[in-house]
Amino acid sequence: MSRYVFTSESVTEGHPDKICDQVSDAVLDALLSQDPASRVACETVVNTGLCLITGEVSTNARVDFNTLVRGVIEEIGYSGARAGGFDANSCAVLVALDQQSPDIAKGVDEADDHDGDPLDLVGAGDQGIMFGFACDETPELMPLPISLAHRFARRLSQVRHDGTLGYLLPDGKTQVSVVYEDDRPVAIDTILISTQHTPSIDGVSEEQPLRERIAADLWTHVVEPATADLHLKPSRSTTRFLVNPTGTFVVGGPQGDAGLTGRKIIVDTYGGYARHGGGAFSGKDPTKVDRSAAYAARHVAKALVAAGLAQRAEVQLSYAIGVARPVSILVQTFGSGTVSDADLTALVQEHFDLRPGAIIERFGLRELPRERGGRFYQDVAAYGHFGRSDLNLPWEDVEEIAATLKQASSDRITA
């Protein structure tokens, strides 16, 4: 029997890097809402008292970036007396957006391999490799460690926003270590939560040091509610619970560390449980296959697992700039497939159109939902882009295609 411990982490929306991801995706949302054909590659940098948005944009939209950026920062919680050195109302907002390179635009606008099909006319916005993954460890078909880390991070922000734990401040990180036996999760070994807080907390005395009070509150209001619906739960007696290991966490956010778009790519995906092609998501319009093809790869992998064709599935796609069709497609199931990986790869090639234009059309990646006021990408910029049961994400909807794959696999076996 093999036994090991696997660990994944998440961060709250107040983490400096996540502020940047949300600002970059808010810019993308605003531009696509006015001009769905906008080409966007927006990077954000934050530091004490400063937010800089830079990158390349081609659009007919007109956006008040200053107001937009301040609104995102205030929504996260950095405003007023509790801003902690980074205030939405007083920070400097600098805008340095240039036009997209005409060479990139040409490759996207007219694919090298088009044959008259309109969907062939959208080439990949860059070369690169993307991975998608799914497994049957959780109802949302995500690895358990990253699923738990996101649950704790989301709950940490929820109890801050609703006032349950009014002393919490926006910055925070979570980390979960899960014990596996024969590649199946059997116990939660360690939970680590580092959360920014006010310098003092009402009711804290020498008899109950500040860190002990925070730990008790977090177990009651974060850990227990976040795992209430799970079969595998943490235990006060067997799960190690670490809170703010240095003792205090008062200085945080951009005052504590500079932030940059795209530095949390493992948090955004599978927590290190699966491979990553290296490309970040936030601030990129859907012609950038770093983003759209990673969504498609997750869709494919999740469909294979939902169809019962594998317990674990990893899908690799690769693209060339200006070429619509993927250069390669690979499915691996690590011995958990009901049929061979070669047969599953063939099924994927038959049933999924993985050209950028087809991915954009299938998921409606330029058609922002009106019920959320044209806001879409900003919502996935924190707490992961996959397995989001709190959001209605098109690449997570696999019920219909999973049924098709299950039938197609059965037909292939009996043929």
Side-chain angles (χ1 to χ4, degrees):
M1 178 179 67
S2 66
R3 182 182 174 90
Y4 57 90
V5 176
F6 192 90
T7 303
S8 294
E9 72 159 354
S10 182
V11 297
T12 67
E13 77 251 34
H15 185 281
D17 294 331
K18 273 297 152 200
I19 298 171
C20 296
D21 287 342
Q22 290 165 94
V23 168
S24 291
D25 273 337
V27 169
L28 176 62
D29 281 340
L31 295 175
L32 289 178
S33 293
Q34 293 186 34
D35 179 6
S38 295
R39 301 284 167 73
V40 183
C42 178
E43 310 288 347
T44 301
V45 181
V46 295
N47 204 340
T48 305
L50 171 67
C51 180
L52 164 67
I53 56 174
T54 185
E56 297 76 44
V57 170
S58 294
T59 184
N60 292 317
R62 297 178 65 86
V63 173
D64 180 350
F65 293 113
N66 191 295
T67 299
L68 176 70
V69 170
R70 294 185 191 280
V72 174
I73 295 170
E74 183 173 19
E75 180 183 332
I76 292 170
Y78 288 104
S79 62
R82 296 161 60 83
F86 186 70
D87 192 328
N89 300 305
S90 62
C91 69
V93 176
L94 304 182
V95 181
L97 295 171
D98 296 325
Q99 287 288 316
Q100 183 188 49
S101 161
D103 295 329
I104 295 176
K106 181 181 178 181
V108 174
D109 292 335
E110 186 172 334
D112 183 65
D113 58 339
H114 74 87
D115 59 7
D117 185 333
L119 295 181
D120 270 338
L121 296 179
V122 180
D126 201 353
Q127 72 177 53
I129 56 175
M130 301 86 212
F131 288 93
F133 184 80
C135 63
D136 63 358
E137 293 179 11
T138 61
E140 65 271 26
L141 303 186
M142 287 287 287
L144 182 60
I146 188 65
S147 177
L148 288 173
H150 284 323
R151 281 174 178 245
F152 297 146
R154 284 200 303 269
R155 181 68 185 171
L156 195 61
S157 289
Q158 181 181 336
V159 296
R160 172 175 63 87
H161 282 297
D162 67 18
T164 300
L165 298 181
Y167 57 80
L168 297 183
L169 296 177
D171 198 357
K173 302 179 77 173
T174 63
Q175 186 172 289
V176 181
S177 301
V178 174
V179 179
Y180 284 78
E181 291 182 356
D182 293 333
D183 295 328
R184 306 301 295 176
V186 295
I188 301 171
D189 179 83
T190 303
I191 296 170
L192 166 60
I193 300 178
S194 296
T195 180
Q196 188 186 13
H197 58 84
T198 56
S200 61
I201 299 175
D202 291 341
V204 171
S205 63
E206 292 183 3
E207 289 73 29
Q208 186 187 37
L210 182 144
R211 184 167 57 170
E212 290 184 10
R213 163 68 181 277
I214 296 175
D217 284 349
L218 293 186
W219 187 272
T220 300
H221 298 290
V222 174
V223 174
E224 289 183 339
T227 55
D229 64 327
L230 296 179
H231 174 69
L232 186 62
K233 292 180 173 62
S235 165
R236 289 300 296 265
S237 60
T238 60
T239 300
R240 182 167 51 168
F241 186 45
L242 304 175
V243 174
N244 289 353
T246 62
T248 59
F249 184 0
V250 173
V251 178
Q255 184 184 23
D257 291 289
L260 180 66
T261 299
R263 282 205 303 209
K264 287 292 175 282
I265 59 176
I266 300 303
V267 170
D268 285 343
T269 52
Y270 308 101
Y273 200 93
R275 286 173 283 198
H276 196 293
F281 299 154
S282 291
K284 297 179 181 178
D285 75 83
T287 66
K288 277 72 170 176
V289 284
D290 276 344
R291 179 169 220 158
S292 54
Y295 293 168
R298 161 65 178 173
H299 184 70
V300 173
K302 185 177 182 182
L304 293 173
V305 175
L309 301 178
Q311 290 182 315
R312 293 188 292 162
E314 185 179 78
V315 177
Q316 185 199 51
L317 306 176
S318 69
Y319 291 84
I321 187 169
V323 178
R325 292 176 176 82
V327 173
S328 66
I329 302 171
L330 174 65
V331 175
Q332 291 184 284
T333 62
F334 312 100
S336 72
T338 59
V339 297
S340 71
D341 290 353
D343 282 341
L344 292 179
T345 300
L347 276 178
V348 170
Q349 291 169 330
E350 291 170 12
H351 293 278
F352 293 89
D353 189 341
L354 296 168
R355 294 171 296 172
I359 295 170
I360 292 169
E361 182 178 88
R362 180 166 69 252
F363 296 151
L365 296 180
R366 285 179 172 145
E367 302 161 7
L368 303 187
R370 294 182 182 275
E371 64 269 21
R372 294 209 291 263
R375 172 170 163 164
F376 179 72
Y377 292 104
Q378 185 186 343
D379 285 342
V380 293
Y383 311 117
H385 293 242
F386 307 123
R388 296 293 298 272
S389 57
D390 58 321
L391 299 173
N392 184 25
L393 301 177
W395 52 88
E396 293 293 316
D397 182 5
V398 299
E399 184 176 355
E400 184 176 343
I401 187 62
T404 299
L405 290 174
K406 186 174 184 179
Q407 184 61 52
S409 176
S410 177
D411 292 345
R412 182 182 289 268
I413 292 172
T414 58

